[in-house]
Amino acid sequence: MFRAAAPMTRSAAQGDATPGQGVGARLLRKEDDRFLRGRGRFVGDLKLPGMREVAFARSPVAHGRILEIRIPPDLRGTVFTAKDLVGVKPIRAVSGLPGFRPSEQPALATDKVRYVGEPIAMCTGRSRAEAEDAAARIEVDFAEEPAVSDMLLGRRPDAPRLHADWPDNVYLESLVVGGESFTGLDAAVKITREFRTSRQCMSPMEGKGVLAHWDTRREQLIVETSTQMPHIIRNGFCDFLGLEQRQVRVAAPDVGGGFGHKGVLSPEELCVAWGARALGQPLRWIEDRREQLTANANCREHHYIVTAYADARGKLLALEAEASVDAGAYSAFPFTGGIEAAQIASILPGPYDFPRYRCRTWSVASNKPPILPYRGVARTGVCFAMELMLDAIAREVGREPYEIRLENLVRPEQMPFDNITNKHFDSGDYPECLRRLVAAIDIPAVRERQRLGEPDGRLIGLGLSIYNEQAAHGMSVYGAWGIPILPGYEQATARILPDGGLEIRAGIQSHGQGLETTLAQVANEILGIDPARVSVIHGDTETSPYSPGTYASRSMVMAGGAGATAGRQLVPRLATIGASLLQADPSQVRFEGGHVRSASGSVSIEAIARTWYLQPHELPADVDRGGLEVTAGYRAERDSGTFSYGAHAALVAVEPRTGEIELLRYVVVEDGGVLVNPMIVDGQIYGGVAQGIGTALYEEMRFDAAGQPLASTLADYLLPGSVEVPDVQILHMETPSPYTEFGVKGIGEGGAIGPPAAIANAVNDALRSFGVEVTSLPVTPRRVVEAIAARSSGAPQPTLSTGFERA
């Protein structure tokens, strides 16, 4: 019917210089104006008439039977325990993976508690202080039982059982074997290492929060909650409260950070939702920092034993590994307790190509809070283990670490590439990414500085890491993992308004990614509408199309693709109406830059919209009746996910007497495919690197043998601040994905994956004259000093070469 203008093509060489306001523009974030002026609207800003605040009485013991709960008589009707929650089902996260054992977590503990901080009673009050005072008056008698506080001890046959109907404490055991047989393997180099990462607490600026009320007119539970996944969380409310979908509306206001913590249905949310309906009053719970640290946001606790086989040049011949993940007391809905370990076995090879592989993993139950998905799920630990192995091989064969990596990386001419665990790498040039990093950090200058020594006696170290990040996974991937979130077609609604503005409605939810800006840029790319005139409406099950939500760096790939598809479907409708206004044959018009153009003139989207909505009598009866609103679905051409990647370099100074570590310089080279907004990508990388530095050097939630958390405030649980994070130099590559709209890849997690490996390798490089390696995270001064002291005392240590002499 009409001719569309040729689509804009974009090469990697165009980079950040792409003009305009569409894909590739460094557009200022639309949402920042309200945030910087304090005009955001978070759960803490919401209030309803008659609203009561909620606090929880929580278990002070990690494992024990509840003998009696005593509630003072004057609190009756304001305090609720499990026996009051009639009809509320336990939270149950299921998996289709063979051998997976589901757990059942009651919204409030029934006969047993399994971690410190498990909710026992919901207390309401006119203020949070009043609710907390009520919680402090609840008395509970326990019969304490031995706790599982270490996952390796928890795997032993004689370990205390968390779940009586389980034969052991393992949610899931996985085995992945790939490539050639290990039989007859002859390797010049064989190295075994043991690695451990500490349990962390993801710490968004805003904790979780929920406000619920029952709308008697609509017979509907309305839940406003700080969530990344409104539609999935609604599914959980319906399943566990026994309600129909039409009876539940979940809406996310502004969300002050998520990182995975906001992607699960917590027992507190379930209690508040039940209470709002049962009491007929609005209830609100806002997580405080103590709750977040000790009970609600635990993540990442891995243990690895890895053996690498290589030839005399450092070329990998085989890799075998065992890995355990401490998954906590229950499976969190919807991701399950197998979320980390099940992925380790398939992603441990990283961006490397080698012929033999086997890995067995265990997801272990313990008397700790449930483990939750955290930015870079499993990849941060995997990268740490793999990249420290590569450095160990480099020391063994006497070559520079980057040279070993160049020996083993998948090459660009192999792309697209199916690796040894059948991960399909869509595109990229991993060696070039590493070469650019090596050039930027100037390794010869670093080695010369090391040779000359530091005037203050500190030791300089350089560390590298490289990784790839599978993102925007589709149905085939999640189906294979057995996770009950199966993303099909991501949908978006595009609606032209009577004044020519645009609404985009999407089911994803932004929690800091700038999606209100980038989705508007996609609309500009397709329709030519100024992003300032585009409203992105998201995160509300009543007003947005169904979506699994925001996780796994999927939103820009999937929601961006859906928005682009919906915009394209509007183009022929605009062209038909525009042709009528121009009195032109529809086949002789084209849509370009927000106008329908013909040989005789042009008409704008504003004029077309005004005519369609306000002056329809001017249009012929046979004009397109579809209107100016479209809901469209999008799936990538191949739904195995995109593979972005990056290389990180850290330069550190270590004081060997005290173990103190200073980050002197940090460089990142990343490739996220075509960048919709490079400035926002920079922000993602900066934030991710800051979190990765926390993982590398500071963050550690320790537990004693009784399962008691040993940090409950930010005075005890250390987060990096502005003085701990150096200026980060970021260099971009852009290798388009062949499978996605615009060639976009997911990039939300990459900044957090590389730092622990790069920083630990840098510390080990600084300490190589001592012949020690630090193989546990975080790399604290205590661990550095202990490693040096153990070596000096003659305690067993890996046999290491002392430099990078040429073979």
Side-chain angles (χ1 to χ4, degrees), residues 293-589:
L293 288 171
T294 60
N296 286 348
N298 280 208
C299 58
R300 287 186 187 149
E301 186 175 0
H302 298 188
H303 175 271
Y304 300 83
I305 298 175
V306 185
T307 300
Y309 303 82
D311 66 17
R313 289 185 55 79
K315 175 68 176 174
L316 276 171
L317 302 176
L319 191 77
E320 56 183 344
E322 292 185 353
S324 298
V325 172
D326 189 324
Y330 303 101
S331 271
F333 176 89
F335 292 104
T336 82
I339 180 67
E340 295 257 325
Q343 289 193 66
I344 286 173
S346 64
I347 65 176
L348 183 59
Y352 300 109
D353 181 17
F354 52 89
R356 299 172 184 85
Y357 177 71
R358 59 189 176 209
C359 180
R360 189 180 299 275
T361 68
W362 293 268
S363 303
V364 185
S366 71
N367 291 114
K368 299 176 185 176
I371 197 169
L372 307 182
Y374 181 36
R375 192 176 195 174
V377 180
R379 292 163 183 80
T380 303
V382 160
C383 178
F384 173 70
M386 191 69 183
E387 293 300 290
L388 265 66
M389 289 300 294
L390 268 290
D391 265 36
I393 292 171
R395 284 188 285 271
E396 185 70 19
V397 302
R399 299 182 70 190
E400 280 280 4
Y402 81 87
E403 294 175 324
I404 301 303
R405 288 165 174 80
L406 289 175
E407 286 275 355
N408 292 287
L409 287 168
V410 175
R411 302 183 307 277
E413 63 269 21
Q414 294 176 278
M415 295 290 185
F417 178 76
D418 292 326
N419 84 339
I420 200 164
T421 63
N422 293 317
K423 295 292 183 184
H424 183 78
F425 301 171
D426 50 351
S427 65
D429 190 338
Y430 300 165
E432 177 61 18
C433 180
L434 184 60
R435 284 191 288 266
R436 293 190 188 188
L437 182 79
V438 167
I441 201 69
D442 194 357
I443 289 180
V446 173
R447 297 300 181 215
E448 178 63 13
R449 181 175 176 179
Q450 289 176 316
R451 187 187 68 80
L452 294 173
E454 297 296 297
D456 59 5
R458 294 191 299 174
L459 303 174
I460 300 299
L462 173 66
L464 309 175
S465 67
I466 187 167
Y467 61 89
N468 56 6
E469 174 197 356
Q470 186 179 14
H473 320 61
M475 185 164 51
S476 62
V477 177
Y478 282 99
W481 287 351
I483 293 177
I485 303 174
L486 294 181
Y489 281 89
E490 185 74 17
Q491 293 183 307
T493 298
R495 174 191 292 167
I496 304 262
L497 301 173
D499 64 356
L502 180 70
E503 283 182 356
I504 295 177
R505 296 177 179 263
I508 48 86
Q509 170 62 37
S510 179
H511 48 276
Q513 304 93 326
L515 291 170
E516 293 176 30
T517 302
T518 47
L519 290 177
Q521 289 181 250
V522 166
N524 174 268
E525 186 75 16
I526 301 300
L527 296 171
I529 298 175
D530 186 336
R533 304 196 66 205
V534 178
S535 295
V536 175
I537 299 166
H538 59 309
D540 188 334
T541 59
E542 184 169 78
T543 60
S544 64
Y546 184 89
S547 169
T550 300
Y551 62 95
S553 297
R554 68 183 302 274
S555 290
M556 202 60 244
V557 176
M558 305 306 292
T565 302
R568 285 200 179 92
Q569 290 184 11
L570 282 174
V571 168
R573 301 185 183 191
L574 291 164
T576 301
I577 299 170
S580 176
L581 294 178
L582 292 168
Q583 298 183 0
D585 189 305
S587 66
Q588 299 302 309
V589 302

Side-chain angles (χ1 to χ4, degrees), residues 148-156 193-200 300-306 322-327 344 364 366 368 380-382 384-386 388 695-696 699-703 756-757 760 773-780 783:
V148 175
S149 61
D150 183 278
M151 58 185 155
L152 300 184
L153 299 178
R155 281 177 48 197
R156 292 182 178 178
R193 295 288 187 272
E194 183 175 6
F195 303 105
R196 193 149 193 168
T197 68
S198 289
R199 200 173 190 84
Q200 288 182 245
R300 287 186 187 149
E301 186 175 0
H302 298 188
H303 175 271
Y304 300 83
I305 298 175
V306 185
E322 292 185 353
S324 298
V325 172
D326 189 324
I344 286 173
V364 185
S366 71
K368 299 176 185 176
T380 303
V382 160
F384 173 70
M386 191 69 183
L388 265 66
T695 301
E699 297 185 51
E700 183 174 18
M701 175 55 74
R702 302 178 69 189
F703 289 77
E773 294 178 358
V774 178
T775 57
S776 294
L777 293 175
V779 184
T780 59
R783 287 194 169 106

